[in-house]
Amino acid sequence: MANSGDSITLKNIASHCKEYGFIYPSSEIYDGLGATYDYGPYGSELKNNIKEYWWKAMVRMNENIVGIDAAIFMHPTTWKASGHVDAFNDPLIDNKDSKKRYRADVLIEEQIAKIEGKINKEVTKAAKRFGDSFDEAQFVSTNPRVVKYKGQIADIEERMKTSIENGDLEALKQLIVDLEIADPISGTRNWTDVRQFNLMFATELGSTADGAEKIYLRPETAQGIFVNYLNVQKTSRMKPPFGIAQIGKAFRNEIIARQFIFRMREFEQMEMQFFIKPGTEMEWYEHWKEKRMNWHKALGLGEEKYRFHDHLNLAHYANAAADIEFDFPMGFKELEGIHSRTDFDLGAHEKFSGKKLKYYDNATNESYTPFVVETSIGLDRMFLAVMSASYTEEKLEDGSERTVLKIPPVLAPVKVAVLPLVNKDGLPEKAQEIMKEIMLDFNAQYDAKDAIGKRYRRQDAIGTPYCITIDHETLENNTVTIRERDSMKQMRVSIAELISTLEEKVSIKNLLRKI
Ligand code: ATP
């Protein structure tokens, strides 16, 4: 049996998602809308299950974390204070021949990746030449070619960092020119100047006649938490260290919105801001890095699919930041961010609103603006991670093929399918009886159409972990078979034990206990 593993592309996943009712391009009858997607019947179930796992792990399992649901619209000064009006920009450059637009920093990073590719080639070649005696660390620190490449990378990174930090767009353009970067489409180096482009969507509150006010669709959920810090702290009687969690929509006018649901213009975030005493942030930062990684790994998608990427270039408000990267079909990319944001946000809101957002500690008689460590994950990206790891094309021992979504049972959209072996002899009636009981506990699907093998394939394609078959023996002794999706093994259980057997396999409790 073969898992097609690395050869799976985003395209495979996107077309499977569409064909089986997980995700459709938004407003498809009008040819769709760039980088916006709609979740179908199975997609919305899967999304809800991911949310439930996150919410329970963060809010239910931590006595000092509470949840909120803030409005998408916020007072426009919020975005002044947060820095989004002035600094939520991407540096963009256009190629005059292809008319394509790129992020300048991404073009430069791709150039760095090319040089890294050259280093890897040298290492592979040398490893072959030296065999067992090869010392990679020594080789990369002494081989003149590798040392030269590493020097080039360091120079480029330094120039890019300085120009971005200084907002020097001319220097950024000059770097692209000096590196002789060509447009991958037209192949030319005919570039415009670099310009800043704000990623927030603006709209208007009130009618124009009233003197409408320009407001924004929130580009992150975090600010809804910061502006409510004091309300929540007081009403839930929390004291630092404590957290506020939220799941909600965010909007960004992404310029290079490609790669299916990896980068969307309307997406959902699951964020938690943890308010702490200044000076304790590194301890909490490490704590949340570890906790969040455990949350991911407990799902069993494969430990090798995750890695940390520590940020070297920190945003001005952060004193430590790391991404949890996932091995998507297009390689390792950011799935979640863990950031130590100091008191930047609360401090800025204090300044702009004139309201005190401090915590008064009775025990020490001191008052401070809490520091914040946040964990921020894109729900849609998490959905893509689950899909990428689950999508499998298999060749079976009998020579046939199947496409199966090996979604962790606890997240699977449909937990169990109820299938009468034949659509006669009293089997459908018995199956419906069972279905009525099962649907009280699990999302179940009844299917009596087509041969049983075909029905199994349909369930495989939507990731249903268990199929229950009602056959003639069921009528004699009240037992059914349960077929397990991944192994395709079947076992016979009594109807009386059915619910508890399924419960044991798909319960979120067992998963939460692991983390
Ligand atoms: P990227 O570098 O990929 O643009 P980011 O660093 O801007 O992401 P954050 O602002 O830290 O992302 O947002 C937190 C999380 O929200 C990201 O880790 C990602 O999972 C998700 N996210 C951000 N932008 C998008 C988007 N356009 N579409 C889908 N998910 C997104």
Side-chain angles (χ1 to χ4, degrees):
M1 246 186 242
N3 180 331
S4 37
D6 291 345
S7 60
I8 297 298
T9 62
L10 264 190
K11 228 170 156 191
N12 294 132
I13 295 168
S15 59
H16 190 87
C17 279
K18 184 168 171 228
E19 189 178 345
Y20 286 93
F22 283 83
I23 297 173
Y24 318 114
S26 167
S27 13
E28 202 193 4
I29 57 167
Y30 296 106
D31 296 331
L33 181 70
T36 30
Y37 291 90
D38 298 340
Y39 285 82
Y42 301 119
S44 41
E45 291 285 346
L46 172 53
K47 211 172 162 196
N48 281 338
N49 293 341
I50 297 173
K51 281 193 215 178
E52 184 192 1
Y53 177 38
W54 187 86
W55 190 266
K56 286 196 166 154
M58 300 300 275
V59 180
R60 283 266 184 94
M61 305 293 288
N62 291 290
E63 287 175 41
N64 59 353
I65 298 184
V66 289
I68 65 163
D69 184 9
I72 287 171
F73 291 145
M74 300 183 70
H75 192 284
T77 310
T78 309
W79 307 110
K80 264 281 190 213
S82 68
H84 283 81
V85 171
D86 296 322
F88 194 49
N89 299 318
D90 272 351
L92 298 179
I93 190 165
D94 292 53
N95 183 273
K96 290 183 195 163
D97 299 315
S98 70
K99 309 266 185 281
K100 291 277 170 206
R101 183 166 285 177
Y102 300 90
R103 257 174 65 178
D105 56 325
V106 170
L107 283 179
I108 297 165
E109 268 163 14
E110 281 169 1
Q111 199 67 13
I112 294 173
K114 276 188 194 157
I115 306 174
E116 279 168 347
K118 287 184 190 169
I119 297 179
N120 292 340
K121 243 189 205 153
E122 293 291 341
V123 171
T124 316
K125 245 180 12 200
K128 246 192 211 149
R129 194 158 10 107
F130 292 113
D132 288 345
S133 63
F134 181 58
D135 179 344
E136 184 175 330
Q138 197 200 352
F139 178 78
V140 295
S141 59
T142 55
N143 177 276
R145 260 197 298 265
V146 173
V147 171
K148 187 182 88 188
Y149 290 144
K150 281 172 60 177
Q152 284 174 354
I153 293 177
D155 282 348
I156 300 171
E157 281 180 337
E158 184 54 36
R159 280 181 68 184
M160 180 165 81
K161 185 169 171 243
T162 321
S163 6
I164 290 177
E165 275 174 4
N166 298 339
D168 187 346
L169 302 181
E170 273 172 35
L172 211 54
K173 159 100 187 257
Q174 195 54 46
L175 184 54
I176 289 173
V177 173
D178 293 348
L179 292 173
E180 300 184 348
I181 296 176
D183 175 7
I185 295 179
S186 67
T188 69
R189 302 189 175 90
N190 195 8
W191 297 109
T192 61
D193 288 339
V194 178
R195 281 166 300 127
Q196 292 287 21
F197 186 89
N198 193 288
L199 297 181
M200 282 197 294
F201 285 100
T203 185
E204 284 175 355
L205 190 74
S207 72
T208 329
D210 294 334
E213 193 174 14
K214 182 169 167 186
I215 58 166
Y216 300 97
L217 297 186
R218 67 180 176 199
E220 62 175 28
T221 54
Q223 299 304 324
I225 288 178
F226 292 128
V227 299
N228 276 301
Y229 157 74
L230 211 55
N231 280 338
V232 177
Q233 188 262 316
K234 292 208 160 127
T235 52
S236 56
R237 297 186 300 121
M238 287 284 163
K239 53 182 185 193
F242 82 98
I244 306 178
Q246 173 168 223
I247 300 177
K249 290 260 179 163
F251 305 82
R252 295 181 187 178
N253 199 358
E254 300 277 7
I255 298 308
I256 307 154
R258 282 186 298 232
Q259 301 179 320
F260 192 35
I261 55 170
F262 183 81
R263 194 174 297 288
M264 302 156 88
R265 297 206 166 99
E266 173 180 343
F267 58 101
E268 233 166 316
Q269 290 186 313
M270 305 191 286
E271 294 198 295
M272 192 279 296
Q273 270 68 37
F274 202 67
F275 298 89
I276 53 181
K277 192 170 176 177
T280 62
E281 67 272 20
M282 288 326 282
E283 192 186 308
W284 285 111
Y285 171 68
E286 292 303 332
H287 170 88
W288 282 110
K289 268 177 80 173
E290 190 190 329
K291 276 271 226 186
R292 293 303 305 147
M293 188 58 110
N294 290 346
W295 182 88
H296 286 284
K297 290 190 172 168
L299 276 176
L301 298 178
E303 303 225 339
E304 73 293 349
K305 291 199 181 305
Y306 303 90
R307 70 179 187 200
F308 280 115
H309 167 74
D310 293 311
H311 287 210
L312 300 175
N313 297 342
L314 293 172
H316 56 287
Y317 51 77
N319 64 1
D323 296 335
I324 293 178
E325 293 188 335
F326 185 80
D327 192 4
F328 289 101
M330 61 282 188
F332 274 96
K333 300 262 179 221
E334 174 179 345
L335 169 60
E336 169 158 8
I338 294 118
H339 312 127
S340 171
R341 299 180 65 115
T342 67
D343 60 355
F344 172 80
D345 303 273
L346 288 184
H349 287 305
E350 283 191 312
K351 197 170 122 210
F352 278 79
S353 69
K355 309 268 168 23
K356 283 220 168 344
L357 300 175
K358 301 218 179 319
Y359 175 74
Y360 177 72
D361 190 340
N362 278 325
T364 58
N365 258 343
E366 47 170 352
S367 168
Y368 59 82
T369 308
F371 272 33
V372 169
V373 170
E374 76 173 358
T375 71
S376 173
I377 175 170
L379 174 55
D380 313 86
R381 257 187 219 182
M382 183 61 198
F383 188 110
L384 184 60
V386 172
M387 274 290 174
S388 312
S390 306
Y391 180 92
T392 313
E393 291 170 4
E394 277 183 352
K395 213 173 178 67
L396 304 179
E397 273 147 17
D398 66 2
S400 64
E401 285 175 9
R402 70 166 182 163
T403 301
V404 51
L405 294 182
K406 298 186 172 180
I407 300 175
V410 60
L411 298 184
V414 177
K415 300 288 189 251
V416 51
V418 178
L419 317 171
L421 186 62
V422 289
N423 208 6
K424 57 182 183 187
D425 304 340
L427 297 188
E429 291 75 12
K430 185 72 185 172
Q432 279 292 355
E433 207 180 282
I434 294 172
M435 176 74 186
K436 285 215 171 73
E437 253 329 286
I438 283 188
M439 70 205 293
L440 295 171
D441 288 289
F442 311 105
N443 190 17
Q445 195 169 81
Y446 180 84
D447 190 2
K449 198 165 171 285
D450 298 320
I452 192 78
K454 221 170 170 185
R455 281 182 271 167
Y456 285 154
R457 291 292 167 273
R458 272 204 291 269
Q459 296 300 330
D460 287 344
I462 60 167
T464 308
Y466 300 101
C467 287
I468 293 172
T469 307
I470 288 86
D471 54 20
H472 293 94
E473 203 182 321
T474 310
L475 302 181
E476 286 159 25
N477 62 10
N478 268 324
T479 63
V480 292
T481 61
I482 299 185
R483 171 201 184 256
E484 201 268 331
R485 177 194 67 201
D486 300 350
S487 65
M488 294 183 289
K489 290 213 169 87
Q490 307 202 9
M491 63 172 190
R492 228 172 159 97
V493 299
S494 73
I495 293 175
E497 292 171 285
L498 198 53
I499 302 271
S500 60
T501 309
L502 289 170
E503 178 66 32
E504 175 62 27
K505 294 177 189 297
V506 303
S507 154
I508 196 168
K509 273 193 226 160
N510 294 336
L511 184 58
L512 292 171
R513 271 195 197 106
K514 277 200 236 164
I515 56 175

